[in-house]
């Protein structure tokens, strides 16, 4: 029997001749259109020359030469800075010189699609032909000779809209209009075909949908220099200086090993971020406990302790003063404590979930002793909310549930069956890779940041590739994005066990399937009054998943659905007057039943939560003694925000 190349495709197999022929034809046609357009000159020729200044003066040529020299020198300096292997990998990036290169990526995408994905090739071919014919007719009718509309004429309306291609440059010339419209058509086709495929279980279908979406976003013509007319215009207008600035941005990011989203020099912790006055009143190798100074003469008798996620910095709740949840809560008369987790290093290599649960209990006990109160309110955000649920179950089992007066959960999951896109990164192969990336016992936070960025790659990766690398734009001063890039390292052993036991195996909702600190965990024992907040557009902790906490707790639960997602849905101060929230029947049988019963309210949900908290314990006391941290006779460690939040 003759040898058969496994990469060779037979007629009728996925990615076979019909589709590839169309892609080849489209790529070749675009290449010719662009080549002719750049070479065209005047008259009625459909030329891109109209997009750019005509001619190059001697002085301009010197500017272009200088920009080219700068680019070469910058890259050589970087190559010298890096190890030779890393520099070789960096310099072997995507080739930006072929105007039809994204078509090649399309063909590569076809080769990786599973069998059955292109059974409807005839339909794709028909739609492609209709698109090309319709685009040609539109431009022939809209501008003489097929050139872009000008002199106040509107460019032709296009069948598909996408904000990535909102700039008029994408519609002013038929080559770029056809290019991005074809891309959008193919992307829609890929996604729709996956959704229509038979024979896939739910988990595999979701993984394939995620992979197709990610690849479709990566192959956008907007991501490449010579297929993005906005970048081409900017390059000519600045005589290449945008590419010089973009190269410097790229080199800086390669040195950091992390994509930059905001101006790194714009913020300083303790000055314009995490600046709410307070003191560090307790410290362990794992966390610091911060108590904030009161701003009112009276405060609620029951204090509140916030457990933020240790996969991020706590100051997501203490951004600039007008956005700070911590400052707002202090101004409502709440005695606020916040745990600041230490970013992991070799000394925390053996930390596991039990240690975080013990830390929560210890912080609760320390506050009770410090202020001589029987109980505290608690807030758990994201993974710390998951941990708080386990802590409450353990306290209940030990007969100590009354240490916690109430519990609030910000976008926290306990049932991980419907836990969203993060599940696509959790299988045996991924868990093994995490172990390989953690030789010193901790996972570099940059890997986790890259994972979260990949969940919204269009907004958090490719948008910045275009704006900062290709257009050479300066970074904005944005506090939320500064926090997003301020990564923390994670104990690798804890991280692996958390992903395996909770995300993959969903053991937390099985009574006594897990134990911590020597005590079995049964969530049905939790009777503490609870307030549960979810974000309507949360892609990390989807509302369907967060809702399920109501299925497992046996005490009174109030559920609230906030507008926006995992961060903006939580950090929504009343002064901003943004978004909305929904309240309804928290005892409903499903999230959809809750939504059907819900009433929409404009603006921030914080005042609604505060009213709920007030009902749990309305009593107040004078803001004196240890209610004012650092006062006479009160020994404290240092000023807020403390050292741990600044360690990398």
């Amino acid at each position: 029997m003759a040898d058969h190349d496994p990469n060779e495709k037979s007629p009728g197999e996925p990615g076979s001749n019909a589709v590839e022929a169309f892609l080849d034809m489209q790529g070749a046609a675009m290449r010719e259109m662009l080549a002719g357009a750049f070479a065209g000159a005047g008259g009625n020729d459909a030329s891109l020359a109209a997009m750019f200044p005509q001619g190059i003066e001697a002085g301009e040529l010197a500017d272009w030469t200088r920009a080219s020299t700068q680019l070469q020198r910058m890259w050589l300096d970087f190559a010298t800075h890096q190890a030779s292997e890393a520099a070789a990998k960096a310099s072997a990036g995507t080739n930006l010189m072929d105007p039809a290169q994204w078509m090649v990526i399309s063909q590569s995408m076809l080769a990786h699609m599973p069998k059955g994905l292109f059974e409807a090739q005839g339909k794709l071919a028909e739609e492609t032909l209709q698109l090309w014919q319709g685009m040609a007719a539109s431009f022939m009718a809209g501008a003489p000779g097929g050139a872009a509309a000008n002199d106040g004429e509107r460019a032709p309306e296009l069948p598909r809209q996408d904000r990535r291609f909102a700039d008029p440059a994408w519609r002013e010339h038929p080559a770029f209009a056809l290019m991005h419209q074809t891309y959008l058509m193919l992307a829609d086709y890929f996604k729709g075909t996956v959704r229509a495929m038979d024979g896939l279980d739910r988990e595999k279908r979701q993984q394939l949908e995620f992979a197709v979406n990610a690849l479709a976003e990566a192959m956008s013509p907007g991501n490449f220099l010579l297929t993005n007319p906005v970048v081409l215009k900017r390059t000519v207008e600045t005589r290449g200086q945008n590419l010089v600035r973009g190269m410097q941005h790229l080199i800086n990011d390669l040195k950091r090993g992390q994509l930059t989203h905001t101006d790194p020099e714009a913020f300083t912790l303790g000055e314009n971020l995490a600046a709410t006055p307070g003191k560090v009143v307790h410290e362990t190798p794992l966390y610091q406990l911060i108590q904030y100074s009161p701003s009112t003469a009276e405060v609620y008798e029951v204090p509140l302790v916030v457990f933020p996620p240790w996969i991020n910095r706590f100051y997501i709740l203490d951004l600039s003063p007008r956005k700070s949840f911590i400052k707002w809560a202090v101004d409502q008369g709440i005695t606020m404590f916040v745990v600041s987790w230490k970013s992991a290093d070799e000394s925390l290599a053996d930390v596991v979930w039990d240690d975080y649960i013990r830390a929560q209990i210890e912080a609760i006990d320390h506050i009770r002793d410090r202020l001589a109160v029987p109980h505290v309110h608690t807030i758990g955000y994201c993974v710390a909310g998951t941990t708080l649920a386990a802590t409450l179950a353990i306290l209940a089992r030990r007969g100590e549930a009354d240490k916690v007066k109430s519990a609030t959960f910000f976008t926290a999951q306990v049932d991980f069956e419907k836990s969203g896109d993060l599940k696509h990164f959790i299988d045996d192969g991924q868990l093994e890779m995490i172990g390989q990336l953690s030789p010193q016992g901790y996972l570099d936070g940059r890997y986790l940041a890259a994972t979260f960025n990949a969940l919204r790659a269009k907004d958090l990766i490719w948008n910045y590739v275009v704006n900062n690398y290709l257009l050479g734009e300066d970074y904005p001063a944005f506090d939320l994005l500064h926090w997003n890039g301020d990564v923390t390292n994670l104990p690798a052993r804890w991280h692996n066990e958390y992903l395996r036991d909770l995300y993959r195996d969903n053991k937390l909702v099985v009574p006594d399937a897990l134990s911590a600190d020597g005590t079995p965990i049964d969530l049905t024992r939790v009777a503490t009054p609870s307030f549960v907040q979810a974000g309507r557009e949360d892609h990390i902790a989807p509302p369907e998943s967060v809702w399920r906490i109501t299925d497992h707790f046996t005490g009174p639960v109030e559920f609230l659905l906030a507008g926006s997602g995992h961060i903006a849905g939580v950090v929504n101060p009343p002064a901003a007057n943004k978004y909305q929230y929904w309240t309804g029947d928290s005892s409903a049988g499903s999230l959809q039943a809750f939504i059907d019963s819900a009433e929409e309210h404009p603006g921030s949900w914080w005042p609604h939560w505060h009213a709920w908290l007030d009902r749990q314990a309305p009593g107040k006391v004078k803001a004196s003694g240890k209610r004012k941290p650092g006062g006479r006779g009160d020994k404290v460690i240092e000023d807020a925000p403390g050292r741990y939040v600044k360690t990398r």
Side-chain angles (χ1 to χ4, degrees):
M1 180 180 293
D3 291 338
H4 176 69
D5 182 353
N7 295 319
E8 183 179 347
K9 299 179 182 61
S10 303
E13 290 185 350
S16 63
N17 296 339
V19 177
E20 291 190 1
F22 269 97
L23 292 174
D24 287 337
M25 177 270 290
Q26 292 166 359
M30 288 183 194
R31 186 181 291 109
E32 291 179 9
M33 290 172 71
L34 287 172
F38 277 113
N44 288 329
D45 185 18
S47 173
L48 290 183
M51 296 172 61
F52 308 111
Q54 297 293 317
I56 299 180
E57 302 293 338
E60 294 176 342
L61 184 59
D63 290 337
W64 283 100
T65 303
R66 184 162 50 252
S68 176
T69 302
Q70 286 177 287
L71 287 168
Q72 293 180 38
R73 184 174 61 250
M74 291 166 66
W75 189 253
L76 288 173
D77 289 345
F78 172 68
T80 302
H81 176 271
Q82 299 293 87
S84 57
E85 182 177 354
K89 290 180 180 179
S91 60
T94 305
N95 174 20
L96 299 177
M97 298 311 294
D98 183 358
Q101 64 185 293
W102 65 276
M103 282 297 186
V104 177
I105 299 175
S106 301
Q107 292 196 36
S108 174
M109 183 175 179
L110 295 178
H112 291 85
M113 293 296 103
K115 292 183 181 298
L117 186 58
F118 288 102
E119 293 177 353
Q121 289 181 10
K123 183 174 182 293
L124 174 64
E126 180 181 352
E127 290 183 1
T128 303
L129 187 60
Q130 290 175 352
L131 172 65
W132 281 59
Q133 290 175 338
M135 293 287 293
S138 296
F139 275 93
M140 289 179 67
N150 49 40
D151 296 331
E153 296 180 19
R154 291 184 59 191
E157 289 295 325
L158 302 179
R160 285 175 167 83
Q161 306 297 320
D162 189 294
R163 61 186 174 86
R164 289 172 292 177
F165 309 107
D167 193 287
W170 285 103
R171 301 187 298 277
E172 289 171 350
H173 192 279
F176 292 115
L178 184 57
M179 185 184 299
H180 86 264
Q181 286 292 299
T182 302
Y183 157 74
L184 291 174
M185 183 197 69
L186 286 172
D188 287 346
Y189 183 81
F190 294 150
K191 297 172 188 177
T193 307
V194 170
R195 289 192 293 269
M197 287 179 64
D198 296 326
L200 289 178
D201 62 36
R202 176 176 171 271
E203 183 175 345
K204 292 298 182 184
R205 185 185 305 278
Q206 289 178 339
Q207 290 177 344
L208 184 57
E209 286 178 350
F210 181 83
V212 168
N213 286 339
L215 190 52
E217 289 170 358
M219 64 184 276
S220 167
N223 298 338
F224 305 98
L225 194 156
L226 285 185
T227 54
N228 187 325
V230 182
V231 175
L232 289 174
K233 279 186 172 183
R234 179 72 59 84
T235 302
V236 172
E237 290 166 357
T238 67
R239 301 172 189 174
Q241 286 302 306
N242 61 305
L243 301 181
V244 174
R245 292 192 298 271
M247 177 66 79
Q248 187 61 66
H249 292 326
L250 172 61
I251 289 173
N252 290 342
D253 285 355
L254 289 171
K255 288 180 179 179
R256 292 177 66 236
Q258 184 182 354
L259 190 68
T260 298
H261 291 127
T262 188
D263 180 0
E265 306 299 324
F267 299 100
T268 301
L269 296 185
E271 294 182 11
N272 53 2
L273 283 181
T276 302
K279 304 289 183 182
V280 175
V281 298
H282 180 61
E283 177 179 310
T284 76
L286 186 58
Y287 71 91
Q288 289 187 316
L289 182 65
I290 302 169
Q291 180 182 354
Y292 290 92
S293 302
S295 62
T296 56
E298 288 190 327
V299 294
Y300 284 96
E301 181 179 9
V302 179
L304 169 66
V305 58
V306 178
F307 299 111
W310 49 88
I311 60 177
N312 301 111
R313 306 287 180 176
F314 81 84
Y315 64 87
I316 183 57
L317 297 176
D318 194 20
L319 294 171
S320 57
R322 63 187 180 87
K323 296 181 183 178
S324 172
F325 174 82
I326 291 172
K327 183 181 184 305
W328 179 86
V330 167
D331 290 342
Q332 309 314 304
I334 300 173
T335 300
M336 287 287 291
F337 290 82
V338 173
V339 166
S340 174
W341 304 103
K342 184 179 181 182
S343 180
D345 55 21
E346 295 94 330
S347 69
L348 300 180
D350 294 326
V351 165
V352 293
W353 202 29
D354 302 51
D355 295 291
Y356 287 103
I357 291 173
R358 277 193 292 267
Q360 290 191 345
I361 295 173
E362 182 190 47
I364 290 168
D365 286 339
H366 184 87
I367 296 167
R368 292 171 60 244
D369 291 343
R370 175 176 171 80
L371 299 184
V373 294
H375 37 232
V376 302
H377 296 301
T378 57
I379 292 178
Y381 193 166
C382 190
V383 60
T386 306
T387 306
L388 178 59
T391 296
L392 295 176
I394 288 173
L395 290 175
R397 190 127 206 183
R398 294 175 178 175
E400 300 175 343
D402 59 350
K403 289 182 177 181
V404 177
K405 184 65 173 176
S406 76
T408 295
F409 297 87
F410 292 170
T411 64
Q413 304 172 94
V414 299
D415 188 327
F416 290 80
E417 182 183 0
K418 297 184 177 182
S419 55
D421 288 342
L422 270 178
K423 292 196 75 170
H424 305 322
F425 294 88
I426 300 167
D427 55 28
D428 291 339
Q430 294 286 344
L431 294 173
E432 181 181 354
M433 183 187 71
I434 290 172
Q436 295 172 351
L437 293 173
S438 314
Q440 295 175 302
Y442 66 91
L443 180 67
D444 192 316
R446 291 174 295 183
Y447 293 117
L448 194 64
T451 299
F452 283 115
N453 287 343
L455 296 179
R456 293 178 56 204
K458 183 163 59 176
D459 295 324
L460 294 178
I461 296 178
W462 299 112
N463 178 53
Y464 292 91
V465 168
V466 174
N467 288 339
N468 302 120
Y469 297 165
L470 298 182
L471 292 173
E473 293 181 354
D474 292 330
Y475 295 106
F478 189 6
D479 52 4
L480 183 60
L481 289 178
H482 180 92
W483 167 85
N484 187 62
D486 191 0
V487 300
T488 57
N489 304 328
L490 302 178
R493 183 178 169 191
W494 165 82
H495 191 53
N496 262 289
E497 291 177 356
Y498 177 77
L499 295 179
R500 183 184 301 109
D501 292 341
L502 275 66
Y503 264 94
R504 190 189 69 180
D505 299 337
N506 202 21
K507 290 182 178 180
L508 184 57
V509 293
V510 180
D512 297 346
L514 295 174
S515 296
D517 198 27
T519 303
I521 299 171
D522 180 358
L523 296 183
T524 64
R525 291 176 176 264
V526 178
T528 304
S530 299
F531 186 100
V532 179
Q533 176 269 340
R536 184 181 62 174
E537 289 127 31
D538 195 333
H539 60 287
I540 295 173
E544 295 87 351
S545 183
V546 174
W547 167 264
R548 291 200 170 188
I549 200 170
T550 66
D551 296 334
H552 302 286
F553 285 7
T554 54
V557 176
E558 177 157 345
F559 183 86
L560 179 143
L561 185 63
S564 198
H566 197 67
I567 303 302
V570 173
V571 185
N572 183 27
N577 197 28
K578 292 176 63 177
Y579 308 128
Q580 68 284 103
Y581 64 95
W582 292 263
T583 58
D585 181 6
S586 298
S587 63
S590 66
L591 175 64
Q592 187 57 54
F594 168 87
I595 292 173
D596 292 342
S597 74
E599 178 183 357
E600 181 176 341
H601 309 271
S604 172
W605 56 270
W606 294 1
H608 181 88
W609 166 81
H610 176 234
W612 175 86
L613 194 73
D614 179 84
R615 292 195 297 273
Q616 310 310 311
K620 294 189 176 183
V621 297
K622 289 184 178 180
S624 59
K626 289 190 176 181
R627 297 280 177 162
K628 292 184 174 182
R632 180 179 299 178
D634 185 22
K635 186 178 180 180
V636 298
I637 297 171
E638 60 187 341
D639 290 338
R643 303 186 319 280
Y644 283 12
V645 74
K646 300 175 183 178
T647 59
R648 299 294 174 260

